[in-house]
Amino acid sequence: MSPLLRIPSSSYQRTRWKNDGGWTTEIARSGGDDFRWRISIAEIESDGPFSSFPGVDRDLLLLDGNGIELDIDDAPPRRLVQRFERVHFAGEAKVDCRLVAGPTRDFNVMARRDAVRAEVIARPLVGPMVIFPERDAEWFVHVFAGHASARGEADAITLETGASLLADFREGGHRLVLEGSGELVLVKFLTASR
């Protein structure tokens, strides 16, 4: 079985929030309702609280819009106004969100703390980029803009804007080479014991 799985944007699941303040587009998840990890894009349309996810660590990156300001528990307000600006917080924290000026789109990574930990990176893709296999690691690649090709040992996959790729190296594997032009959001998941 190939360690590379292409996830086209046509397979994403978009749902309205229960509080009617926006939309979530789920891109991928590992596991069922009690996911190990979950990746989505949120469209925030109005001010309001975030849902609680006890036992989950969260990362949020601003993709589009003029930004948001977050009140996370008793910490000073955290303002994200630059594209790919990121904040990390506990899913059980009390989080209130205010829009700076109009709706935003945000990249969300949720990792169940007792199962995995996530490292999130946003970066340009200019020429080749090599991801070396690491035992017990999964790499998620989202093409935010532009295009990319991904080559494994025996696979070659083309990714357009909005598409994603999961490279599962938990059982070993060969390096992954990404080439193209654009901007990527990369997430590395490692087992929590590491």
Side-chain angles (χ1 to χ4, degrees):
M1 184 172 153
S2 170
L4 304 183
L5 174 65
R6 182 179 184 277
I7 308 170
S9 56
S10 60
S11 72
Y12 301 167
Q13 301 292 316
R14 187 171 184 253
T15 56
R16 189 74 179 162
W17 293 355
K18 290 178 183 176
N19 69 6
D20 209 36
W23 295 85
T24 293
T25 299
E26 183 173 284
I27 298 174
R29 75 165 57 204
S30 173
D33 291 339
D34 293 328
F35 56 82
R36 289 175 60 246
W37 55 258
R38 177 178 179 246
I39 295 177
S40 63
I41 291 177
E43 300 164 55
I44 304 176
E45 298 176 343
S46 61
D47 299 350
F50 281 9
S51 297
S52 178
F53 288 90
V56 171
D57 285 329
R58 299 187 62 177
D59 286 274
L60 182 149
L61 287 82
L62 180 67
L63 295 178
D64 295 308
N66 292 315
I68 56 175
E69 190 169 77
L70 301 177
D71 293 323
I72 304 172
D73 286 335
D74 297 324
R78 179 68 191 272
R79 196 173 174 95
L80 292 100
V81 294
Q82 298 294 322
R83 185 158 46 98
F84 296 147
E85 225 175 327
R86 180 174 68 91
V87 64
H88 176 84
F89 57 96
E92 59 269 19
K94 181 180 182 296
V95 181
D96 286 302
C97 174
R98 287 180 302 282
L99 297 170
V100 171
T104 66
R105 287 177 65 239
D106 307 279
F107 193 86
N108 289 280
V109 178
M110 298 186 191
R112 193 158 304 279
R113 199 172 297 131
D114 61 1
V116 292
R117 62 184 170 85
E119 298 172 12
V120 184
I121 307 154
R123 55 157 291 167
L125 178 63
V126 181
M129 174 186 171
V130 180
I131 296 175
F132 291 97
E134 190 173 339
R135 185 78 84 183
D136 295 328
E138 298 164 273
W139 278 89
F140 179 87
V141 180
H142 178 74
V143 180
F144 175 68
H147 64 278
S149 65
R151 285 185 290 110
E153 180 185 21
D155 300 304
I157 296 173
T158 300
L159 301 168
E160 68 283 351
T161 298
S164 301
L165 171 80
L166 180 63
D168 189 345
F169 295 123
R170 286 178 292 172
E171 302 300 322
H174 296 268
R175 68 183 186 171
L176 172 64
V177 179
L178 299 170
E179 293 183 273
S181 174
E183 294 174 307
L184 304 178
V185 180
L186 304 161
V187 186
K188 179 183 179 183
F189 293 105
L190 286 169
T191 57
S193 60
R194 296 194 62 183

